[in-house]
Amino acid sequence: MGEIRAARAITPIATVQNLFNLSDRRAEPVLEYCEREGMGFIPWFPMATGRLARRGGPLRRIAEEHGVTPAQLALAWLLQRSPVLLPIPGTSTVAHLEENAGAGLIELTPVQIKRLDALEAQP
């Protein structure tokens, strides 16, 4: 947070962008700082699911239970993770854009969120 504080001493900062997704949450302290300070947090590489989404992987299994793609589920988790999170997933096709937008319609229960939160700890 030292870099953010130093930058804020010079100029107002509206958002911070860091690597953050279901598979990589090392920036959790930065997200928590942004929450406390009312700053936006833009997760870089927001839908990286890697090994979690592989065939038979835990994210793929949970996504299949809900009839959505692993990417949609990962994006839905981000959208519900924090009110300051603003994921901006990239896309190259209208179909992919529509799929990404569909993540906003997925409402995860607290139990589902807990299951997704636990995925990071798995080997």
Side-chain angles (χ1 to χ4, degrees), residues 81-92:
R81 168 59 187 81
S82 170
V84 302
L85 265 169
L86 176 62
I88 306 173
T91 185
S92 60

Side-chain angles (χ1 to χ4, degrees), residues 18-62:
N18 269 321
L19 178 62
F20 188 79
N21 53 56
L22 197 53
S23 295
D24 189 335
R25 301 182 213 164
R26 289 176 287 180
E28 189 85 34
V30 177
L31 173 58
E32 291 168 356
Y33 175 83
C34 289
E35 289 172 338
R36 285 191 306 274
E37 298 296 315
M39 297 171 58
F41 183 99
I42 300 171
W44 175 71
F45 207 31
M47 296 187 320
T49 55
R51 63 180 172 66
L52 299 175
R54 73 182 181 272
R55 183 168 297 233
L59 182 63
R60 183 168 299 244
R61 284 194 309 270
I62 295 169

Side-chain angles (χ1 to χ4, degrees), residues 69 72 75 90-105:
T69 68
Q72 283 178 309
L75 188 53
T91 185
S92 60
T93 67
V94 172
H96 193 215
L97 173 65
E98 290 170 347
E99 180 181 302
N100 289 345
L105 301 175

